[in-house]
Amino acid sequence: MQSVFTTAQSRAFDKYLIEDIGIPSPALMENAARAALDVLQDWLGVPGTSEIVIVCGVGNNGGDGMALARLLIEQSHNVTVFLAGDKSKLSVDAKIQYEILSKLIDPDEIYTFEKAEDIIEIVDGVDIIIDALIGTGSNGAPRGAIAEGIKAIQMLQGVAGAKVLAIDIPSGFDADHGAFEADESSQHIVRADRTVSMAALKIGFYQADSKIFTGDVSIAALGAKPSFSEESKERAYLMNARDAANGIRAFRYTSSKMDRGRVLAVCGSRGMTGAAIMSASAALKTGCGLVTVAIPESQRTIVAQAMPELMTHGLNAETVGSPDLHAWDELQGEFKRADAILIGCGLPVILGTTALMLRIISNVEKPMVIDAGALSALQGHLDIIKNRKDPTILTPHIGELARLVDRPWQEVDRDRLEFGRQIAKEYGCIVVVKGEPVQTIASDGMAYINSTGNVGLATGGTGDVLAGMIVSLLAQTPDDPLIAARTGVYLHGLAGDFAAQEKTTHGMTATDVITYLPNAFKALGFK
């Protein structure tokens, strides 16, 4: 599982490499430069045929860039180096790289600049630009020569169509919070085609519109495996295929439907039977043994006809076709039989239905996934989550999360991870924040960032499918709710990726995700 660092964690790891492991800072720069060179290989072509511009700052990020310049010159590539401002301001380690480089090329050809035009006037055609202006060591908005360097890179991209590789992070990018394309500040961020991140991924890469600015991201190994210090709080990791495969239960050949997990889905109402059908169908397709859908009696036939493998239980209903508080007594037998419960998909927030959902959440001691209408019912009542003894998984989208924390959705959207952590830690639950990418947050604040999925999942019903998949895995492994949640998220995205390959992201729907679930299991090594 790959570590994902905040800016503070990145700095702490650099310090650890230098002071505890004993790797000198110039050696770290060499490692960074060699990793960047590897990432560049398919862009370079025959030596002498590509024009490469490297724009360096005076800090250690600029040192990385100058080390890379030397390696490229060694391979006989055409390289032009620019330095932001006065060389007397170089950091100690960047100065070492400058002095080495200046022995290989004329020091006058390491051009200093104050304005973007200083670069534009010298460059006569460019194929590749290396952004080595500022890394995670920077604070605040770019200014002075750094801001002008960013402007020059943008101008060269526009005029020459050059490809851009950013070292560590794109200059001007917030490594903790990412970037929003609509913000005025985004005009002062380099838009890289590729980013080579030092040692570990950055949490900002997975916030907001960051992919627009980072492009494809790779990691530069600096000499030791990235890890968090003992005092480091709020760790984050990127999920991968191995993590997901390890989270899926393998069944013995003697297994029966009774020991593969039994799910009760209290979902669906008049006009929203599709939510019940999709969530329950997804639960079955994710491997649990039995799924029962508890739905108003008037809608029961619709569900039964949609998928004959589903069991149904008819409930008392409001006049609008939604279950009411009288259904509580009717559900007692189903509660006892279930290994895990899903509640909320396709349920409206009306008086009787809300009262039923809150009673179920408060009083039923079974592992539970709370989605959609049940999340809305929890607004102002989150304390009942804190009092639950069994595992509880909340699966909000941004709007639902905003209502739970009682903040504007625009504010929550800018810091989804932090607001999700706030709920998870305060109320002792697992929170799956839906969006791009989906983030699964444990009750101690540990976060797992998903690495599968695509824009085709941004369509009605995919959230119901995800909730059904998570509750299915929860029923199969009720003692590992965190693993069930993060694995369900990965599988959901992977099935969506297979659906997109065949249907395109424009043409796929939520039910296609269910259809391609077997492909996802096969890809993870299951037969």
Side-chain angles (χ1 to χ4, degrees), residues 366-425:
K366 289 291 178 76
M368 190 176 295
V369 177
I370 301 174
D371 189 47
L375 288 170
S376 296
L378 278 174
Q379 186 177 359
H381 303 283
L382 273 172
D383 280 341
I384 67 175
I385 297 295
K386 190 182 294 187
N387 296 326
R388 282 182 48 81
K389 295 181 178 64
D390 282 85
T392 307
I393 302 172
L394 311 184
T395 56
H397 56 56
I398 295 302
E400 290 161 343
L401 181 59
R403 288 193 288 274
L404 289 175
V405 296
D406 195 24
R407 304 291 282 273
W409 73 266
Q410 295 91 339
E411 179 184 349
V412 173
D413 192 31
R414 290 178 177 276
D415 209 347
R416 295 182 296 132
L417 180 56
E418 185 56 39
F419 283 105
R421 274 183 168 141
Q422 177 183 320
I423 296 283
K425 292 172 72 174

Side-chain angles (χ1 to χ4, degrees), residues 83-360:
L83 180 64
D86 192 338
K87 65 181 181 182
S88 66
K89 296 180 180 178
L90 284 165
S91 70
V92 172
D93 297 315
K95 187 175 181 180
I96 293 172
Q97 295 296 342
Y98 174 86
E99 290 175 347
I100 296 172
L101 183 61
S102 64
K103 288 182 174 66
L104 298 177
I105 61 175
D106 187 336
D108 291 338
E109 293 182 1
I110 303 175
Y111 301 99
T112 58
F113 69 92
E114 296 292 340
K115 296 290 185 181
E117 290 73 17
D118 299 338
I119 296 176
I120 302 302
E121 288 175 2
I122 294 172
V123 174
D124 182 19
V126 56
D127 301 296
I128 299 169
I129 303 170
I130 308 300
D131 168 22
L133 281 164
I134 47 174
T136 52
S138 62
N139 289 305
R143 54 191 180 274
I146 296 297
E148 291 296 314
I150 292 171
K151 181 180 176 182
I153 291 172
Q154 293 170 334
M155 292 170 69
L156 289 172
Q157 278 181 292
V159 172
K163 297 175 182 176
V164 177
L165 172 69
I167 295 181
D168 201 21
I169 61 171
S171 292
F173 183 86
D174 187 327
D176 285 334
H177 300 97
F180 277 82
E181 190 176 25
D183 287 358
E184 185 178 346
S185 60
S186 72
Q187 303 305 310
H188 308 289
I189 303 172
V190 168
R191 297 193 180 208
D193 298 285
R194 293 177 181 171
T195 297
V196 55
S197 182
M198 299 300 105
L201 301 164
K202 309 297 189 290
I203 196 70
F205 295 166
Y206 305 101
Q207 310 264 37
D209 298 324
S210 296
K211 283 185 179 180
I212 295 170
F213 301 91
T214 64
D216 296 329
V217 177
S218 57
I219 301 172
L222 296 184
K225 184 178 179 180
S227 61
F228 294 95
S229 60
E230 289 299 321
E231 65 273 12
S232 181
K233 298 179 180 178
E234 299 184 342
R235 304 177 185 186
Y237 298 93
L238 186 71
M239 282 287 292
N240 59 37
R242 179 182 295 179
D243 304 324
N246 289 339
I248 298 170
R249 177 183 166 191
F251 301 116
R252 295 183 304 162
Y253 75 96
T254 56
S255 294
S256 74
K257 62 186 177 183
M258 304 306 292
D259 57 30
R260 285 181 57 164
R262 294 166 292 184
V263 166
L264 170 63
V266 185
C267 298
S269 57
R270 185 182 302 159
M272 290 191 282
T273 52
I277 293 165
M278 285 186 287
S279 59
S281 300
L284 269 182
K285 281 280 192 178
T286 308
C288 67
L290 293 169
V291 178
T292 299
V293 181
I295 193 165
E297 183 64 43
S298 62
Q299 311 302 305
R300 185 177 177 182
T301 302
I302 299 173
V303 175
Q305 290 177 338
M307 190 174 189
E309 295 92 339
L310 298 174
M311 296 186 293
T312 58
H313 184 101
L315 300 175
N316 250 301
E318 299 270 8
T319 55
V320 295
S322 179
D324 60 18
L325 197 53
H326 295 294
W328 170 255
D329 292 332
E330 303 167 4
L331 285 166
Q332 295 307 306
E334 298 296 348
F335 291 147
K336 291 177 182 177
R337 284 186 287 272
D339 294 306
I341 295 169
L342 170 62
I343 182 169
C345 301
L347 291 179
V349 185
I350 57 176
L351 192 61
T353 304
T354 296
L356 175 64
M357 289 188 283
L358 292 178
R359 181 174 288 186
I360 291 172

